[in-house]
């Protein structure tokens, strides 16, 4: 029986050695961006690093902890330096944020990266129609997807199946929207100039607000630009009514990929809506649900 056990052990040991060698490869932090709502963006380079959209990495900062490795979704496109966005939500992230604000060099000089690893969002390019739903910092995998789709259109990539993206982002406060605002504004301008404005339709839902924000939105309701985000699409106060959103897909669209990165409660709600609005008739719409948890 030892012959059957020896081969898997050898493969496991080889994999561990390969992983240690890969982790020890030097990571260069090329840019550090401090976004509103305590979100830190790190842009990095690493020899031999090859990523796809929707993937994630494990990051370790020895200056903070030698043993702690934390997963982060890649927010860059494959053509760019790979990047992650870190939201302050615990001791480790607080120390990363504090280290970058005071002494960013020593804090990130020896950062280690393991990966990338695959996630469900990689399959988004297999659908002609895709519905992306992100909650809070769960928007990170979709940042990579939106950037990649734009690059593929610019390069006239014939292998791209995706023709339409519906993007939903849910956040509790306006500060959380701010770090992603620049990407959406840039995509709006580029798509309008290249007559691709119908490629992306997005809806931003502000699930927590105060009276002054609501009054300001009502006062400027007729303006062309959104007063909260400065975009063409107006921010919506409250939670999405998923039954109404899914009911709008009555047009003959055979298959729609629904991708979520968010909490379990939202996943259950979306999965239920996908089941209720999917038809057994192959000539009508069918929703395929994919989720990621953070």
């Amino acid at each position: 029986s030892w012959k059957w056990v020896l081969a898997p052990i050898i493969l496991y040991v080889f994999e561990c050695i390969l992983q240690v060698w890969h982790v020890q490869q030097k990571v260069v932090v090329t840019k550090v961006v401090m976004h509103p709502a305590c979100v830190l963006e790190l842009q990095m380079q690493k020899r031999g690093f090859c990523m796809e959209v929707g993937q994630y990495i494990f990051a370790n900062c020895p200056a903070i902890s030698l043993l702690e490795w934390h997963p982060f979704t890649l927010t860059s496109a494959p053509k760019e330096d790979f990047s992650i966005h870190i939201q302050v939500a615990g001791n480790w992230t607080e120390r990363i944020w504090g280290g970058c604000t005071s002494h960013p060099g020593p804090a990130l000089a020896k950062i280690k990266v393991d990966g990338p690893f695959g996630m469900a969002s990689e399959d988004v390019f297999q659908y002609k129609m895709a519905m992306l739903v992100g909650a809070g910092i769960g928007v990170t995998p979709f940042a990579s997807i939106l950037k990649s789709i734009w690059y593929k259109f610019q390069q006239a990539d014939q292998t791209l199946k995706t023709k339409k993206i519906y993007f939903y982002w849910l956040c509790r406060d306006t500060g959380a929207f701010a770090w992603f605002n620049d990407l959406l504004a840039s995509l709006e301008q580029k798509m309008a100039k290249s007559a691709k404005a119908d490629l992306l339709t997005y809806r931003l839902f502000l699930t927590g607000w105060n009276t002054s924000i609501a009054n300001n939105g009502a006062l400027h309701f007729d303006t062309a630009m959104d007063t909260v985000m400065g975009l063409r699409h107006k921010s919506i106060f409250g939670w999405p009514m998923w039954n109404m959103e899914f009911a709008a897909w009555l047009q003959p669209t055979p298959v729609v990929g629904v991708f979520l990165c968010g909490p379990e409660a939202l996943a259950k709600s979306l999965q239920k809506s996908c089941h209720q609005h999917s038809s057994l008739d192959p000539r009508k719409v069918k929703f395929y649900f994919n989720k990621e948890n953070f």
Side-chain angles (χ1 to χ4, degrees), residues 25-157:
Q25 296 295 308
K26 184 178 180 181
V27 176
V28 179
V29 179
T30 57
K31 190 174 182 180
V32 178
V33 183
M34 314 289 285
H35 292 287
C38 293
V39 174
L40 177 69
E41 178 183 355
L42 300 181
Q43 297 181 15
M44 298 168 282
Q45 293 179 344
K46 181 179 178 181
R47 188 180 66 179
F49 189 90
C50 184
M51 62 161 287
E52 297 293 337
V53 297
Q55 292 186 323
Y56 69 97
I57 61 170
F58 281 92
N60 169 265
C61 186
I64 295 176
S65 173
L66 292 173
L67 300 178
E68 287 190 58
W69 289 83
H70 295 267
F72 296 98
T73 306
L74 293 167
T75 54
S76 53
K79 300 291 183 181
E80 306 171 328
D81 289 352
F82 69 96
S83 65
I84 58 176
H85 284 69
I86 303 173
Q87 186 176 45
V88 176
N91 293 335
W92 190 87
T93 53
E94 286 177 357
R95 295 180 67 182
I96 282 280
W97 177 271
C100 289
T101 54
S102 57
H103 302 288
L108 300 175
K110 296 182 179 180
I111 192 170
K112 297 180 180 180
V113 168
D114 187 16
F117 304 99
M119 297 183 81
S121 297
E122 292 183 78
D123 297 332
V124 68
F125 295 138
Q126 302 301 316
Y127 298 91
K128 290 185 177 180
M129 300 285 182
M131 179 178 177
L132 313 180
V133 182
I137 200 65
V139 75
T140 48
F142 306 134
S144 176
I145 289 171
L146 294 177
K147 288 180 182 178
S148 297
I149 287 178
W150 171 248
Y151 281 124
K152 288 178 181 290
F153 266 99
Q154 287 288 88
Q155 298 167 3
D157 189 340

Side-chain angles (χ1 to χ4, degrees), residues 123-130 161-164 255-259 288 290:
D123 297 332
V124 68
F125 295 138
Q126 302 301 316
Y127 298 91
K128 290 185 177 180
M129 300 285 182
K161 295 181 179 180
T162 309
K163 305 300 180 184
K164 182 68 177 181
V255 176
V256 179
V258 180
F259 295 84
Y288 288 90
N290 306 267

